[in-house]
Amino acid sequence: MTERRNYTAAEVLAVMSSRLLKDGQIVFAGVGLPLLAAILAQRTHAPTLTILFEGGTIGAFVEPGQLPPSTNEQRCCRRANMLLPSTDVLLLLQRGYVDIGFMGGAQIDKHGNLNSSFIGDAENPTARLPGTGGGNDIASLTNMIVAMKHEKRRFVEKVDFVTSPGFLDGGRSREKAGLDLGGLFRVVTDLAILGFDEKSRDMKVVALHPGVTAKEIQDNTGFELIIERNVETTPPPTEDELKVLRHLDPDRLYIA
Amino acid sequence: MTERRNYTAAEVLAVMSSRLLKDGQIVFAGVGLPLLAAILAQRTHAPTLTILFEGGTIGAFVEPGQLPPSTNEQRCCRRANMLLPSTDVLLLLQRGYVDIGFMGGAQIDKHGNLNSSFIGDAENPTARLPGTGGGNDIASLTNMIVAMKHEKRRFVEKVDFVTSPGFLDGGRSREKAGLDLGGLFRVVTDLAILGFDEKSRDMKVVALHPGVTAKEIQDNTGFELIIERNVETTPPPTEDELKVLRHLDPDRLYIA
Amino acid sequence: MTAYQELRKKTEARDHSLRERVMSLEEAAGLVKEGDLIGLGGSTMSRTPLAMIWALIRAGAKGHTIARGISCQEGDLTFASGLCNHVITSWMSHGLNWGVSKIMRNYTEQKRAVFEEWSHMAMGLRFRAGAMGLPFLPMRAMMGSDLMGRLPNVKTMECPFTGEKLVAVPALNPDIAFIHVQRCDAYGNAQMDGLPFLDADLAMAANRVVMTTERIISNDQIRRAPDHTRIPFFTVDAVVEVPFGCAPHECYGVYEPFFSHHDYYADLLKKDAEKGVAEYLQRFYYEPKDWNDYLGRLGMAELQDAARRGRSINND
Amino acid sequence: MTAYQELRKKTEARDHSLRERVMSLEEAAGLVKEGDLIGLGGSTMSRTPLAMIWALIRAGAKGHTIARGISCQEGDLTFASGLCNHVITSWMSHGLNWGVSKIMRNYTEQKRAVFEEWSHMAMGLRFRAGAMGLPFLPMRAMMGSDLMGRLPNVKTMECPFTGEKLVAVPALNPDIAFIHVQRCDAYGNAQMDGLPFLDADLAMAANRVVMTTERIISNDQIRRAPDHTRIPFFTVDAVVEVPFGCAPHECYGVYEPFFSHHDYYADLLKKDAEKGVAEYLQRFYYEPKDWNDYLGRLGMAELQDAARRGRSINND
């Protein structure tokens, strides 16, 4: 879809998610694309946004071209405001100091549940995935944005295993499970920005990216999406956004 | 009793309690006389003993003549090994890293319960005392030595208010209350070293200080003490002990 | 709405941005609302946030509940000025060298004020539960003592795994906390030297924080040693630069307690404690035209002496 | 005897004195007993106590359970060597840049090893409960997820005050913990730079601790900055000086990960993971005559490059 354009699918993903972050927010960011998008936001429309990392960092400046391999290495700490034990930075979620959790996803379902543990049956899995890390904590305790590639095998009716809770079985099932607060706010993909119906908590399209059709997104999704007739289209990435992004990731580790 | 001797009652108290501390122990010490006695031990027979203070200090060197007004000021921190939040130094008691708690007392009873809260009825007290501080935590969670002046009004049948638990009502009542571990090990006074009967948990004399008679100690106690016929006598303070002590407290704040 | 949802809502409504929060003592005193439960940092005679207490007493605030791990002579002043009529603490007096506080005795024995007594660890864990976003924490002290029976909100519980008896202490999330540190940037990132006491938990637990500081340093200075930052900016609502902001108490490495001033204070209260403390409040709290005038009344010689002793902590 | 009484008894039996605890890697490996549950400090690719893992694998230790907040490539080596057949962690793989670990997949999918998955915060709170001498801590995550159903020892509970539903996670007190820091004195007082991860709680929770350190410094140096000490000596049973003790992982401010070595490792495993890891173990774990030989096999150029990148963290 983006072949004719001067940006890649990953760049669309980064730009579109960065736009969802607001100035002044505290963002708990995962490594890779979420980190990149959060820095992009900071360097464009959100200069007083603060990034937290699961390793324990508050408000670091990651150097362009020196993206960290996880959120636990010193590249995540450069010129930080504070370094905390990992437990305590995760407890900031529980205490409520985090405005947005922002992570990637391997498999997601209609109600926004995320799976990063098992493909297939957990007892006899086809594939064992690396696990939750802090993902479950973030998803349980704060409002969250997930950024991921839009593929049919990743967008499934029901995840094989709920590693990080979205809206569970939809409706008020999340609240009933004891999760009073937070929840998946937006899913950003290379095709669209998605949200959830207030009542059923079924996934719906909030806006399509430039050039994407309702049919195209439905074809790439393993369940039926709610798509309103006059759904909005996101403005395309600007030259400025792309320039900053490419400056941050000159080796194109995440934006290729 | 010590009039004819070359040392004061407070000095006897400090020396006799310091001798109860063993080399290599971790001692949680209160300010004033306990602190003084712990430093004395460190400088005589127990060079690898470590002193903890409730404020949060691990293993400081208090300067002679610069005794702190409480365990929370910088005089308690000089050349310490570590400074912790107060909560965490108190949690060392609960985790079990403390060998001995060592504090002063205002009022004690037959079963070693301590009162530092109310004289008289708690609802309408004759006197409101300053309260527990960390005393209750120490007495609840570790083996403890109390150092105090031996006076009839301080040694009572039953304290007006149990601020810091000793053996409660005696027997196994401490364990029954949920306090599985620790307990008052020794009470050191200017007259004697006292302990508790293994079964009844009634206070008994372990050893009398030089020149003190069984009658003298009973006369200064508000309940009946267990005193065995051939009770030991403690060796008198040595010149060396007194010299170190007076060097530590040249203004005689605590040893007068 | 549950208590947790309410706490989260209040926290969400605060400004989390990396912005300057510097104001005057008087402006910061204005952040305190009627009925607020106030948490105080420091312990006993160390890093007591006296400048904010001073400003609040001068502003005529009355009837607050104050929570502090261990209280000291500032307690006399908060009782006598009417700022506080309920203290939640583990210990309250002036200090070993000055005997039991007569003001504490008078106010509590005559039921003009409540002294709610928890163990020191319980106080610490109440702030920590608040800091962690938990409704309670378990602990193993206070059982069997008479403290339990006098507390309005403490419970025993069974461990869900072992069945052991434990004490549950409820979270304490003060409406506002006052904390004094050696250095802090304009955003509120605070670094402190010496004993940290309960301050990091208190800041994290509170719904608003006023940070007074010996000096405001640049954010660059903070970022050069991020592993020494103890309190992050987003918990802080006001930063006030107040040199000697704990005087006549101590600020580690900067000044020790003003010992002879404490002797003077104790003498003043010796004959008639209430008259003495009223005179003290008049001379040191109500009359001074500003904080520097207050410091001047403590005396230049005292101040120099306390500072000399304070900085000597690092001498070998 | 209750679990708490047993923990206290073990702790009481340890030598708490201020004494030197310095020994060799091999001697320290001898402190590990059969069946010990081993806790590892650091996180992912940072401050991983690799030298001790190396020594233990060489000593032929087998069948241990290992607990770590977040695991990394060292997990491959502990599985493939037989050192570990049960990992308690929140995440295990090599790292974003190198794809999902084939060794982790093979061993867990074929049930040759157990991967017990808790959330990262749950891991942290399990160590913290252990550090606090508590049997459990409450938390608000993991509810509603499928993690709960697969864990052998987690419970939901009601808050004794509010009645809210909470998750109780049980204390984790490892038999022995391995922790690597930048500097430590001969007694075991450890100071670290950069992210502290779960290490302070882990040290406090464990029943024995081996502290490896880039360098042993004097106790005087520790005492000059006691508020930077993160782990006190009395929790430590062995101090081992091992420069580059995390290589090819990172030690903040000293060296970054040896990135090209990680690429080399990933390449080696690409075709046949099990054959590749066996070859790797042979070359880097079994063959070297000592730790310096191991470092030499990593390569001097790699080592210099990692160190240059490591110390650059403080460049402005």
Side-chain angles (χ1 to χ4, degrees):
Chain A
M1 136 235 162
T2 53
E3 265 67 17
R4 289 161 304 138
R5 306 179 194 276
N6 65 337
Y7 42 78
T8 66
E11 284 174 335
V12 171
L13 191 47
V15 166
M16 296 306 172
S17 17
S18 86
R19 289 180 186 168
L20 293 180
L21 304 176
K22 295 192 188 115
D23 198 22
Q25 285 183 326
I26 310 271
V27 179
F28 203 107
V31 79
L33 198 123
L35 164 58
L36 212 56
I39 305 175
L40 174 60
Q42 221 175 20
R43 296 195 176 203
T44 52
H45 64 281
T48 74
L49 173 150
T50 294
I51 303 172
L52 309 187
F53 293 130
E54 186 176 324
T57 310
I58 296 178
F61 291 129
V62 174
E63 295 275 292
Q66 297 198 18
L67 300 173
S70 88
T71 61
N72 298 270
E73 287 74 32
Q74 67 176 37
R75 292 182 171 199
C76 294
C77 304
R78 187 177 285 272
R79 292 176 54 66
N81 283 297
M82 186 172 185
L83 302 178
L84 278 167
S86 314
T87 311
D88 295 286
V89 84
L90 288 160
L91 284 168
L92 293 176
L93 294 159
Q94 186 164 282
R95 174 62 183 80
Y97 284 112
V98 179
D99 296 298
I100 295 285
F102 184 17
M103 48 194 273
Q107 190 188 54
I108 193 167
D109 69 18
K110 189 167 83 172
H111 295 305
N113 302 301
L114 291 159
N115 176 15
S116 54
S117 300
F118 299 97
I119 299 297
D121 172 32
E123 288 305 322
N124 281 296
T126 317
R128 189 25 159 139
L129 303 179
T132 166
N136 175 283
D137 303 310
I138 301 170
S140 298
L141 298 169
T142 195
N143 295 311
M144 193 166 72
I145 300 173
V146 169
M148 58 193 287
K149 280 188 82 170
H150 210 126
E151 298 174 356
K152 200 161 191 163
R153 65 183 182 102
R154 293 177 185 274
F155 280 70
V156 299
E157 177 80 25
K158 196 162 171 44
V159 287
D160 296 332
F161 187 89
V162 179
T163 309
S164 303
F167 295 105
L168 299 176
D169 300 321
R172 294 193 41 81
S173 58
R174 179 183 167 98
E175 291 80 354
K176 275 185 196 140
L179 300 170
D180 281 0
L181 290 155
L184 194 52
F185 170 66
R186 286 288 181 266
V187 182
V188 188
T189 75
D190 44 335
L191 299 186
I193 296 172
L194 304 112
F196 295 87
D197 179 78
E198 274 301 302
K199 216 156 167 196
S200 68
R201 301 301 198 183
D202 291 346
M203 200 184 288
K204 69 173 187 193
V205 177
V206 172
L208 293 168
H209 296 331
V212 180
T213 63
K215 182 177 183 320
E216 184 178 359
I217 193 168
Q218 185 59 68
D219 286 350
N220 283 285
T221 305
F223 54 88
E224 201 173 335
L225 281 169
I226 305 176
I227 315 179
E228 277 161 32
R229 182 169 297 193
N230 295 318
V231 66
E232 276 180 56
T233 302
T234 56
T238 66
E239 279 309 307
D240 187 45
E241 286 167 328
L242 292 170
K243 196 175 137 197
V244 173
L245 200 55
R246 289 163 189 174
H247 172 66
L248 292 173
D249 186 11
D251 306 324
R252 304 188 74 78
L253 280 176
Y254 305 115
I255 60 175
Chain B
M1 133 234 160
T2 54
E3 266 67 19
R4 289 161 304 138
R5 307 179 193 273
N6 66 338
Y7 42 78
T8 65
E11 285 173 335
V12 172
L13 192 46
V15 166
M16 297 305 173
S17 17
S18 86
R19 288 179 185 170
L20 294 180
L21 304 177
K22 295 191 188 114
D23 198 21
Q25 285 183 325
I26 309 271
V27 179
F28 203 107
V31 80
L33 198 122
L35 164 59
L36 212 56
I39 305 175
L40 175 59
Q42 219 175 23
R43 295 195 176 205
T44 53
H45 64 282
T48 74
L49 173 149
T50 295
I51 303 172
L52 309 187
F53 293 130
E54 186 176 325
T57 310
I58 295 178
F61 291 129
V62 174
E63 294 277 291
Q66 296 197 18
L67 300 173
S70 88
T71 61
N72 298 270
E73 288 74 31
Q74 67 175 39
R75 291 179 172 203
C76 295
C77 305
R78 187 178 286 270
R79 292 174 56 66
N81 282 297
M82 185 173 185
L83 302 178
L84 279 168
S86 313
T87 310
D88 295 287
V89 85
L90 288 160
L91 284 168
L92 292 176
L93 295 158
Q94 186 163 284
R95 175 62 183 80
Y97 284 111
V98 179
D99 297 297
I100 294 286
F102 185 18
M103 48 193 273
Q107 192 189 52
I108 194 168
D109 69 19
K110 191 166 85 173
H111 295 305
N113 302 300
L114 292 160
N115 176 15
S116 53
S117 300
F118 298 97
I119 300 298
D121 171 32
E123 287 304 321
N124 280 296
T126 318
R128 188 26 160 138
L129 303 179
T132 167
N136 176 283
D137 304 310
I138 301 170
S140 300
L141 298 169
T142 195
N143 295 311
M144 193 167 70
I145 300 173
V146 168
M148 56 191 289
K149 281 188 80 172
H150 209 125
E151 295 174 359
K152 200 161 193 160
R153 65 183 184 100
R154 292 178 185 273
F155 281 70
V156 299
E157 178 79 26
K158 196 163 172 41
V159 288
D160 296 332
F161 187 89
V162 179
T163 309
S164 302
F167 295 105
L168 297 177
D169 301 320
R172 295 194 40 82
S173 58
R174 179 183 166 96
E175 290 81 352
K176 276 185 196 140
L179 300 171
D180 281 359
L181 291 155
L184 194 52
F185 170 67
R186 286 290 181 265
V187 182
V188 188
T189 75
D190 43 337
L191 299 185
I193 295 172
L194 304 112
F196 296 87
D197 179 78
E198 274 299 303
K199 213 152 170 204
S200 68
R201 300 302 198 183
D202 290 348
M203 200 184 286
K204 70 173 186 192
V205 177
V206 172
L208 292 169
H209 295 331
V212 180
T213 62
K215 181 178 183 317
E216 185 179 359
I217 193 170
Q218 185 58 71
D219 286 350
N220 282 285
T221 305
F223 56 87
E224 202 173 333
L225 281 168
I226 305 174
I227 315 179
E228 277 161 30
R229 182 168 297 190
N230 294 317
V231 66
E232 275 181 54
T233 301
T234 55
T238 67
E239 279 311 307
D240 187 46
E241 287 168 327
L242 293 169
K243 195 176 138 197
V244 173
L245 201 54
R246 289 163 190 173
H247 172 65
L248 293 173
D249 186 10
D251 306 324
R252 304 188 74 75
L253 281 176
Y254 304 116
I255 61 174
Chain C
M1 197 155 53
T2 67
Y4 180 56
Q5 286 171 326
E6 205 173 313
L7 179 72
R8 290 286 302 256
K9 201 178 156 194
K10 278 184 198 164
T11 309
E12 199 182 323
R14 291 164 72 182
D15 182 349
H16 297 165
S17 65
L18 193 68
R19 62 166 173 96
E20 299 206 355
R21 294 165 162 85
V22 180
M23 58 181 79
S24 71
L25 266 183
E26 290 71 22
E27 286 169 311
L31 297 181
V32 180
K33 294 176 191 147
E34 208 178 313
D36 270 356
L37 192 157
I38 302 169
L40 298 184
S43 193
T44 325
M45 205 167 275
S46 189
R47 282 201 297 97
T48 311
L50 266 181
M52 268 307 292
I53 294 171
W54 179 85
L56 204 53
I57 288 177
R58 283 160 64 95
K62 306 277 180 202
H64 289 274
T65 297
I66 291 184
R68 194 182 191 205
I70 293 192
S71 308
C72 185
Q73 167 251 7
E74 84 288 347
D76 283 9
L77 308 176
T78 65
F79 275 179
S81 66
L83 174 61
C84 172
N85 58 18
H86 183 162
V87 65
I88 305 175
T89 190
S90 73
W91 192 90
M92 180 173 173
S93 190
H94 186 177
L96 197 61
N97 306 346
W98 301 282
V100 176
S101 160
K102 282 271 178 53
I103 296 297
M104 179 279 285
R105 286 197 52 186
N106 286 2
Y107 273 75
T108 58
E109 290 167 14
Q110 296 160 18
K111 303 197 194 312
R112 286 187 274 160
V114 173
F115 174 175
E116 185 182 323
E117 182 179 343
W118 298 73
S119 85
H120 195 180
M121 193 169 80
M123 286 298 299
L125 293 176
R126 293 194 64 193
F127 286 139
R128 185 160 291 178
M132 293 169 86
L134 288 172
F136 82 98
L137 275 172
M139 60 176 247
R140 297 180 187 275
M142 295 213 300
M143 288 182 281
S145 77
D146 289 335
L147 295 175
M148 289 288 285
R150 286 185 59 79
L151 290 169
N153 48 348
V154 66
K155 306 224 173 184
T156 55
M157 65 172 292
E158 274 187 15
C159 171
F161 297 99
T162 64
E164 290 165 284
K165 189 172 160 190
L166 299 165
V167 170
V169 297
L172 187 51
N173 292 96
D175 296 304
I176 191 162
F178 303 155
I179 294 172
H180 186 83
V181 295
Q182 285 88 356
R183 56 189 179 280
C184 178
D185 71 13
Y187 304 137
N189 290 300
Q191 298 187 338
M192 51 182 110
D193 298 322
L195 290 165
F197 303 120
L198 317 183
D199 292 13
D201 286 328
L202 171 59
M204 207 61 85
N207 283 300
R208 266 164 287 146
V209 174
V210 176
M211 187 72 68
T212 58
T213 177
E214 290 293 318
R215 60 194 182 103
I216 294 177
I217 61 174
S218 69
N219 180 246
D220 276 346
Q221 283 175 281
I222 291 285
R223 289 184 190 266
R224 262 175 224 129
D227 40 9
H228 300 177
T229 306
R230 302 283 192 155
I231 296 171
F233 71 92
F234 50 75
T235 64
V236 176
D237 300 84
V239 174
V240 189
E241 187 176 87
V242 198
F244 290 94
C246 305
H249 290 206
E250 168 181 295
C251 184
Y252 181 101
V254 191
Y255 43 94
E256 275 207 331
F258 293 38
F259 287 120
S260 54
H261 185 83
H262 284 281
D263 294 340
Y264 157 81
Y265 173 86
D267 277 350
L268 194 61
L269 270 66
K270 198 162 267 171
K271 218 194 281 175
D272 181 335
E274 307 228 14
K275 222 171 121 183
V277 76
E279 192 181 324
Y280 184 87
L281 281 169
Q282 189 59 31
R283 189 173 316 160
F284 292 95
Y285 277 62
Y286 300 124
E287 278 176 16
K289 66 175 203 296
D290 57 22
W291 181 252
N292 281 331
D293 189 7
Y294 165 83
L295 292 178
R297 286 168 191 238
L298 294 181
M300 188 57 74
E302 286 264 18
L303 191 142
Q304 291 281 15
D305 177 58
R308 183 190 53 73
R309 288 183 282 112
R311 62 182 176 260
S312 78
I313 181 72
N314 294 315
N315 295 357
D316 268 338
Chain D
M1 196 155 56
T2 66
Y4 181 55
Q5 285 170 328
E6 206 173 313
L7 179 73
R8 290 287 301 258
K9 201 178 155 195
K10 279 184 198 163
T11 309
E12 199 181 322
R14 291 164 72 182
D15 182 350
H16 298 163
S17 66
L18 194 70
R19 63 165 174 97
E20 299 205 355
R21 295 166 162 83
V22 179
M23 59 182 78
S24 70
L25 265 184
E26 289 71 21
E27 286 170 310
L31 297 180
V32 180
K33 293 174 192 150
E34 208 178 314
D36 270 356
L37 191 159
I38 302 169
L40 298 184
S43 193
T44 325
M45 205 167 276
S46 188
R47 281 202 297 97
T48 310
L50 265 183
M52 268 306 293
I53 294 170
W54 180 85
L56 205 54
I57 288 176
R58 283 160 64 95
K62 305 277 180 201
H64 290 274
T65 298
I66 291 184
R68 193 182 192 205
I70 293 192
S71 308
C72 185
Q73 168 251 6
E74 83 288 349
D76 283 9
L77 308 176
T78 65
F79 275 0
S81 66
L83 174 61
C84 172
N85 58 17
H86 183 163
V87 65
I88 305 175
T89 190
S90 73
W91 193 90
M92 179 172 172
S93 191
H94 186 176
L96 196 60
N97 306 345
W98 301 283
V100 176
S101 160
K102 281 273 180 50
I103 296 297
M104 179 280 285
R105 285 196 52 186
N106 286 1
Y107 274 75
T108 58
E109 290 168 15
Q110 296 161 16
K111 303 197 194 311
R112 286 187 275 161
V114 174
F115 174 176
E116 185 182 323
E117 182 179 344
W118 298 73
S119 85
H120 195 180
M121 192 168 82
M123 286 299 300
L125 293 175
R126 292 194 64 190
F127 287 139
R128 184 158 292 177
M132 293 169 87
L134 289 173
F136 82 99
L137 275 173
M139 61 176 248
R140 298 181 186 274
M142 293 213 301
M143 288 183 280
S145 77
D146 289 335
L147 295 175
M148 290 287 287
R150 284 184 61 79
L151 290 168
N153 48 348
V154 67
K155 306 223 172 185
T156 54
M157 64 173 292
E158 273 187 15
C159 171
F161 296 99
T162 64
E164 289 164 284
K165 189 173 162 190
L166 299 165
V167 169
V169 297
L172 187 52
N173 293 96
D175 296 305
I176 191 161
F178 304 155
I179 294 172
H180 186 83
V181 296
Q182 285 87 357
R183 56 190 178 279
C184 176
D185 70 15
Y187 304 137
N189 289 300
Q191 298 187 338
M192 50 182 110
D193 300 320
L195 290 165
F197 302 120
L198 318 183
D199 292 14
D201 287 328
L202 171 60
M204 206 62 87
N207 283 300
R208 265 164 290 143
V209 173
V210 176
M211 187 73 67
T212 57
T213 176
E214 289 294 317
R215 59 194 182 105
I216 294 177
I217 61 173
S218 70
N219 181 247
D220 275 346
Q221 283 174 281
I222 291 285
R223 289 183 191 270
R224 262 174 223 130
D227 40 8
H228 300 177
T229 306
R230 302 283 190 154
I231 296 173
F233 70 92
F234 50 76
T235 64
V236 177
D237 300 84
V239 174
V240 189
E241 188 176 87
V242 197
F244 290 94
C246 305
H249 290 205
E250 167 181 297
C251 185
Y252 181 102
V254 190
Y255 43 94
E256 275 207 332
F258 292 39
F259 287 119
S260 53
H261 185 83
H262 284 279
D263 293 341
Y264 158 81
Y265 173 87
D267 276 350
L268 195 60
L269 270 65
K270 198 162 268 172
K271 219 193 280 172
D272 182 335
E274 307 229 11
K275 220 172 122 184
V277 77
E279 190 181 325
Y280 185 87
L281 282 168
Q282 189 58 29
R283 189 174 315 161
F284 292 95
Y285 277 62
Y286 301 123
E287 279 177 16
K289 65 176 205 294
D290 57 22
W291 182 253
N292 281 331
D293 189 7
Y294 165 84
L295 292 179
R297 287 169 189 237
L298 293 182
M300 187 58 75
E302 286 265 17
L303 191 142
Q304 292 280 14
D305 176 58
R308 183 190 52 72
R309 287 183 281 114
R311 60 182 177 262
S312 78
I313 181 74
N314 293 315
N315 295 357
D316 268 338

